[in-house]
Amino acid sequence: QLQVVESGGGLVQPGDSLRLSCTASGRSISSFAWAWFRQASGREREFVARTARPMSSSTTYADSAKGRFTVSRDNAKNTIYLQMNNLKPEDTAVYFCAANFGKFSTTGEEYPYWGQGTQVTVSS
């Protein structure tokens, strides 16, 4: 059974950077496709980025994340990362990582495995 824990959130100022971590246990991250979603207070969950299994280099981003956010992985640490640069107040949300068995999807319902989320607050 896959378990996922996010970390790395916090309070930062506009223009700052954060790196979120998504550490898996129970299974290797290599067995899954991964995605990041976020949910701001009072708003619906939205897709941020997705990455296919390691055998494929495919990674795609929401328009709001393009050019600022980067997904990477460290197989030795069984961890997926979301590097977020030039953060804006509108990036404030709880960020979640999610996994499925290989479906390259932007829809949260396609991901059966979720972490508990980590809060990112961007404010001056």
Side-chain angles (χ1 to χ4, degrees):
Q1 182 73 11
L2 178 70
Q3 294 183 322
V4 178
V5 177
E6 300 97 335
S7 61
L11 172 63
V12 297
Q13 294 186 338
D16 285 352
S17 298
L18 275 178
R19 188 179 74 164
L20 305 184
S21 299
C22 172
T23 301
S25 60
R27 296 283 299 272
S28 169
I29 61 171
S30 301
S31 299
F32 300 88
W34 293 87
W36 287 92
F37 293 85
R38 67 186 183 186
Q39 187 166 19
S41 180
R43 301 187 66 176
E44 293 187 354
R45 182 178 60 199
E46 64 174 348
F47 164 76
V48 175
R50 61 179 177 175
T51 183
R53 288 181 179 177
M55 297 305 293
S56 169
S57 62
S58 296
T59 302
T60 61
Y61 300 90
D63 287 344
S64 59
K66 286 179 182 176
R68 299 188 300 127
F69 293 5
T70 304
V71 175
S72 62
R73 65 179 70 208
D74 185 332
N75 290 331
K77 294 182 177 180
N78 219 33
T79 298
I80 302 290
Y81 300 102
L82 180 67
Q83 177 68 43
M84 305 187 296
N85 298 328
N86 189 24
L87 283 161
K88 304 175 181 180
E90 52 263 43
D91 295 319
T92 296
V94 178
Y95 284 72
F96 300 88
C97 65
N100 66 29
F101 287 105
K103 190 163 186 177
F104 198 45
S105 173
T106 63
T107 304
E109 287 73 16
E110 302 281 6
Y111 292 85
Y113 300 102
W114 291 78
Q116 83 290 347
T118 186
Q119 175 71 47
V120 172
T121 302
V122 185
S123 175
S124 57

